[in-house]
Amino acid sequence: MSSSPHAKGRGSQIDPPNRFGQTYAVPDLEHVEHDAEYMEDLRHLKTEYFLDSSKSIVSENDSPDVPFRYSINPYRGCLHGCSYCYARPSHEYLGLSAGLDFETKIFFKADAPKLLRDWLNRPNWQPETVVMSGVTDCYQPIEREHRITRGCLEVALEARLPIGIVTKNALVVRDIDILSEMAKLGLVRVALSVTSLDQELTRVLEPRTSSPAARLRAIHELSQAGIPTVVMTSPMIPGLNDSEMPAILKAASEAGAQFATYILVRLPLTVQPVFMEWLERCLPSKRELIESRIRATRDGQLNSSEFGERMRGTGPIAQQIDQTFKVFAKRYGLNGKYEPLDASLFRPPKPSSGQLRLF
């Protein structure tokens, strides 16, 4: 596997071979290993941004494990750089790697609001909740500049389209003005992922996202604005952060969260080498313990793709995590069921062409 010498601020340090590729380049740094300036430059990998000219923006999902059918992904790749991210293999469809490429080569769909506007004007559209995002985070740092997620929310508010938001970035509070208006109409719910309360851990596990304290503040601000909030204690990594689950649920409840959920860590395809390299590099003394406990929840493997198992795992350790969640979610009043968002108010937005409907 190719690698840069400890790329600064990146969750991955490798570019595992693309499973669809037929050629694979391995860097040879032997002839420059004594060039300190060159080697230092390699540590500071620049993030590259590319325009994604996709002609559609809404994806459809039919997995029985995923509680939504439609989703919007304004970005491909994610600067957050979480080593465990299940979305990493999606970059391989672009001819790139699930490692460093995933977090240094980001694609943005500038036309997403327009595409959503036109998609909602289809005559056969039966309104239901659309989730942002099903793959990479819709509030990753590039959103500050491009405001694509905000543009989609503006269309959703105009159309009275119910939206579920999943993020781990406190940038979501920037859009409280829109979200609060949607909340008054029963059109929105925001889920924030809080993986750990330990800033030292999240700094290396999720290197370019919001701190735990910032995420809890975001939950508080959203809740104060009347926006329904969910804390996702996800992913739970046995032997690493599962012991924090009670404390996370307590802190989120105190911040104003109304609901909670969790997902067991998933390591599909090329996520495995990225996460295992991270584990060996950042937590070598805990590597064997964490790996063995993950395997104990996946029938001896590092991952399971079986519906009904992949989100929760199997075996005593998985059952213990599940029971812990149920006990403490109930204790802190986070175990209620979501009320469905209101799809009855939907009205087609003004088409991007400006041409209004006759009927």
Side-chain angles (χ1 to χ4, degrees):
M1 295 177 184
S2 64
S3 65
S4 295
H6 301 293
K8 188 175 181 181
R10 303 297 181 178
S12 175
Q13 297 295 324
I14 62 174
D15 270 328
N18 186 309
R19 60 202 157 104
F20 304 115
Q22 296 181 356
T23 60
Y24 176 53
V26 179
D28 179 8
L29 301 177
E30 184 177 359
H31 63 293
V32 294
E33 63 181 345
H34 300 299
D35 186 336
E37 183 177 352
Y38 181 83
M39 296 297 282
E40 180 62 20
D41 285 343
L42 291 181
R43 294 190 64 232
H44 298 272
L45 289 179
K46 293 182 179 180
T47 303
E48 300 176 86
Y49 296 101
F50 305 91
L51 178 64
D52 185 324
S53 56
S54 296
K55 300 303 181 184
S56 63
I57 189 59
V58 180
S59 300
E60 189 171 357
N61 156 75
D62 61 0
S63 169
D65 287 330
V66 178
F68 56 84
R69 182 179 178 187
Y70 295 104
S71 64
I72 298 172
N73 295 281
Y75 305 102
R76 292 182 178 182
C78 188
L79 188 65
H80 286 162
C82 306
S83 59
Y84 55 75
C85 181
Y86 67 84
R88 285 181 175 272
S90 65
H91 238 43
E92 295 180 300
Y93 295 116
L94 303 174
L96 301 171
S97 87
L100 282 164
D101 280 351
F102 178 77
E103 52 194 280
T104 61
K105 294 178 171 62
I106 313 298
F107 294 75
F108 61 96
K109 303 177 184 179
D111 287 339
K114 173 185 178 295
L115 293 171
L116 176 60
R117 183 177 295 277
D118 292 340
W119 193 84
L120 293 175
N121 271 282
R122 299 181 310 158
N124 60 345
W125 164 241
Q126 297 296 317
E128 61 180 274
T129 298
V130 175
V131 169
M132 301 180 69
S133 297
V135 186
T136 54
D137 203 309
C138 60
Y139 278 105
Q140 58 182 288
I142 187 178
E143 170 63 18
R144 293 184 184 278
E145 175 185 352
H146 287 279
R147 301 167 71 89
I148 300 172
T149 296
R150 183 176 176 88
C152 289
L153 290 176
E154 290 170 344
V155 174
L157 177 57
E158 178 187 341
R160 305 296 191 258
L161 174 71
I163 293 284
I165 294 175
V166 181
T167 184
K168 62 181 60 176
N169 201 309
L171 178 58
V172 64
V173 301
R174 178 203 63 187
D175 295 334
I176 277 183
D177 58 333
I178 298 175
L179 297 174
S180 61
E181 290 300 311
M182 295 182 72
K184 292 174 184 177
L185 299 170
L187 296 173
V188 73
R189 183 182 299 113
V190 178
L192 274 117
S193 170
V194 181
T195 312
S196 171
L197 299 179
D198 181 354
Q199 173 63 19
E200 290 303 306
L201 174 58
T202 57
R203 184 176 58 82
V204 292
L205 182 64
E206 305 165 336
R208 295 191 182 223
T209 190
S210 302
S211 68
R215 295 183 223 183
L216 291 172
R217 285 196 300 272
I219 289 174
H220 176 73
E221 291 182 38
L222 292 166
S223 299
Q224 288 293 104
I227 300 160
T229 56
V230 183
V231 60
M232 300 179 64
T233 57
S234 302
M236 282 288 106
I237 305 173
L240 179 60
N241 66 339
D242 53 326
S243 62
E244 287 195 71
M245 181 182 277
I248 294 172
L249 293 172
K250 182 176 186 291
S253 175
E254 291 174 348
Q258 297 169 279
F259 310 96
T261 186
Y262 82 96
I263 296 174
L264 193 71
V265 66
R266 298 172 52 210
L267 301 175
L269 303 169
T270 34
V271 182
Q272 288 187 24
V274 172
F275 180 77
M276 296 308 293
E277 185 279 331
W278 174 86
L279 199 55
E280 178 64 37
R281 173 169 42 88
C282 295
L283 296 172
S285 64
K286 293 184 177 181
R287 184 192 64 79
E288 290 188 10
L289 170 66
I290 294 171
E291 180 180 352
S292 67
R293 291 193 176 180
I294 291 175
R295 290 184 182 277
T297 67
R298 300 295 188 187
D299 196 26
Q301 304 300 312
L302 285 172
N303 189 61
S304 170
S305 58
E306 294 292 323
F307 292 140
E309 295 182 5
R310 59 183 186 145
M311 302 296 190
R312 291 289 192 266
T314 58
I317 292 177
Q319 292 170 5
Q320 182 181 36
I321 292 173
D322 187 65
Q323 185 61 26
T324 298
F325 173 79
K326 289 176 179 176
V327 167
F328 286 93
K330 182 177 181 180
R331 174 176 297 183
Y332 299 119
L334 299 171
N335 63 330
K337 292 186 177 181
Y338 307 154
E339 288 293 327
L341 298 178
D342 190 355
S344 67
L345 302 176
F346 177 79
R347 59 193 187 191
K350 184 178 180 180
S352 61
S353 65
Q355 180 67 48
L356 300 178
R357 288 184 176 187
L358 293 177
F359 304 100

